[in-house]
Amino acid sequence: MQDETRFALLDILEDRYGNSSVIITSQLTIKTWYNSIDEPTLADAIMDRLTASAHRL
């Protein structure tokens, strides 16, 4: 994932966190998401917002 994409995703998730729903579909496992984001600090922030109150199907 490129820097622009990481920051854009984090911005979107922060704007919606606690205010609105977000639907994410992926075939990647959570561990794979960390590897795909490829920046530990941003990966932690993004995954925290995605998984904190997530309903996984």
Side-chain angles (χ1 to χ4, degrees):
M1 202 178 276
Q2 296 176 358
D3 281 340
E4 291 176 6
T5 307
R6 289 183 203 120
F7 287 114
L9 179 57
L10 183 57
D11 283 342
I12 291 167
L13 294 173
E14 283 184 344
D15 286 345
R16 299 185 67 88
Y17 190 73
N19 295 319
S20 301
S21 298
V22 176
I23 296 175
I24 302 281
T25 60
S26 175
Q27 294 179 338
L28 300 176
T29 64
I30 291 175
K31 186 175 184 175
T32 307
W33 269 79
Y34 276 99
N35 294 336
S36 296
I37 295 169
D38 198 33
E39 170 58 47
T41 304
L42 289 175
D44 284 339
I46 290 168
M47 295 309 293
D48 177 60
R49 281 146 186 88
L50 283 175
T51 61
S53 59
H55 297 279
R56 295 173 62 187
L57 303 173

